[in-house]
Amino acid sequence: MRIRATVAAVSGALALSALAVPAAQAGDQAAPGLDKPTAAEAFGLGAQAPRAAARAAVAEPVISKVVINGGKDIVVGTTASKKITVSVTASHPSGIADGYVDLWHGSDVETNIDGWVAPNEDAATCTSSSATTATCKMTITILPGADLYKNALAGTWHVTAGALAGDQSSVAWNDYHSTARVQRLSKVTVNAAPEPVKKGKTLTVTGKLSRANWETGTYKGYATQSVKLQFRKKNSSTYTTVKTIKSSSTGALKTTVKASVDGYWRYSFAGTSTTPTVTAAGDFVDVK
């Protein structure tokens, strides 16, 4: 069985740290005592872990595929936990006994980790596709404000992948197998006024672009971002971009257009590496 006490201790430490540090300082806070497990710890091998000299003469499992959250970015809001599925596919002449995947944030796995999320399960659920190959699935739950205790954790995370041979003779382990992207949930609103409006008159379209602030548990305006104002006629299914504007220092959106025909107005944000794309539901305007 894998050792999970470390995971629980780290999660608790992060939660306490997030509560103890004022919001203004949370962005600079480093995770205390963050220490990822070794392959032996992850697979519960202990003293029976294959020695380096022995491994040289034993074939290690070959990891062929790792999937994080179905291949989609991991988008996390302000309060609700995010549970994702992860899997590793590997092969070995003796089959695969177990698999392991975790995500970590930092520049060096030995000396600089400021974020880490590990599997919920003590062991993966492995399904064999042949006598030598299996896909092992796990889940990971990510908590905003605890695991994601600072906004700087948005962006690219490293993926650790591991596989244990069926006869436990060897382990494949790579702390830099691939990467995944963790993002701050975004929102955008729109309001076109006045409603109704006379044809040819000025229509003012306002709104706001915001995203999750993990340090405060609220949504904060996303400043100076390019946002598209789009329109579709009443009987059409296609939106067309009318103009692109910048959000203000508070995330506010505001522009004017001339009213011509009945239709729907919306704002659409393409997203960034730390923030996903988001589009408002269309606001219908009746043109008289």
Side-chain angles (χ1 to χ4, degrees):
M1 299 294 285
R2 295 184 194 149
I3 298 172
R4 283 291 173 264
T6 303
V7 179
V10 169
S11 297
L14 290 179
L16 290 173
S17 172
L19 292 173
V21 179
Q25 301 175 13
D28 298 324
Q29 178 71 4
L34 200 55
D35 188 17
K36 270 169 45 62
T38 64
E41 291 170 335
F43 292 120
L45 297 177
Q48 298 178 4
R51 297 178 181 274
R55 286 206 308 267
V58 178
E60 294 182 353
V62 175
I63 296 174
S64 57
K65 187 177 183 180
V66 175
V67 179
I68 308 296
N69 195 36
K72 300 178 181 178
D73 292 335
I74 303 165
V75 180
V76 185
T78 56
T79 57
S81 62
K82 179 74 172 184
K83 187 176 183 179
I84 64 170
T85 299
V86 298
S87 66
V88 54
T89 302
S91 301
H92 187 268
S94 68
I96 298 297
D98 197 4
Y100 179 87
V101 175
D102 70 29
L103 284 73
W104 62 277
H105 186 272
S107 60
D108 188 279
V109 73
E110 298 291 341
T111 62
N112 184 11
I113 296 179
D114 60 356
W116 172 47
V117 289
N120 297 318
E121 299 83 8
D122 285 337
T125 298
C126 297
T127 303
S128 298
S129 57
S130 70
T132 60
T133 303
T135 296
C136 300
K137 294 184 178 181
M138 295 141 280
T139 61
I140 294 175
T141 300
I142 304 174
L143 304 174
D147 298 314
L148 303 177
Y149 61 96
K150 62 179 180 178
N151 295 324
L153 291 174
T156 300
W157 285 55
H158 297 282
V159 175
T160 295
L164 175 64
D167 60 6
Q168 299 193 10
S169 63
S170 59
V171 169
W173 188 268
N174 187 349
D175 284 309
Y176 299 87
H177 180 275
S178 55
T179 60
R181 196 157 65 174
V182 179
Q183 296 181 313
R184 298 161 62 180
L185 180 63
S186 55
K187 296 182 178 182
V188 66
T189 60
V190 65
N191 181 55
E195 303 175 53
V197 63
K198 290 184 178 181
K199 184 175 182 179
K201 293 296 183 179
T202 298
L203 191 66
T204 301
V205 187
T206 58
K208 184 174 183 177
L209 176 66
S210 60
R211 60 177 178 167
N213 186 323
W214 296 328
E215 297 166 15
T216 61
T218 61
Y219 284 86
K220 184 178 180 181
Y222 198 5
T224 62
Q225 298 300 307
S226 295
V227 180
K228 295 178 180 179
L229 175 66
Q230 299 180 326
F231 176 77
R232 73 173 174 90
K233 295 180 180 179
K234 181 179 180 179
N235 297 318
S236 172
S237 60
T238 304
Y239 275 93
T240 301
T241 298
V242 176
K243 63 172 71 174
T244 300
I245 65 172
K246 290 274 190 180
S247 59
S248 73
S249 60
T250 62
L253 303 167
K254 184 177 182 180
T255 190
T256 58
V257 292
K258 293 295 182 181
S260 57
V261 295
D262 294 352
Y264 298 84
W265 295 91
R266 72 181 189 184
Y267 280 118
S268 182
F269 174 59
T272 63
S273 62
T274 61
T275 310
T277 182
V278 63
T279 300
D283 183 24
F284 180 75
V285 175
D286 181 18
V287 178
K288 300 293 188 181

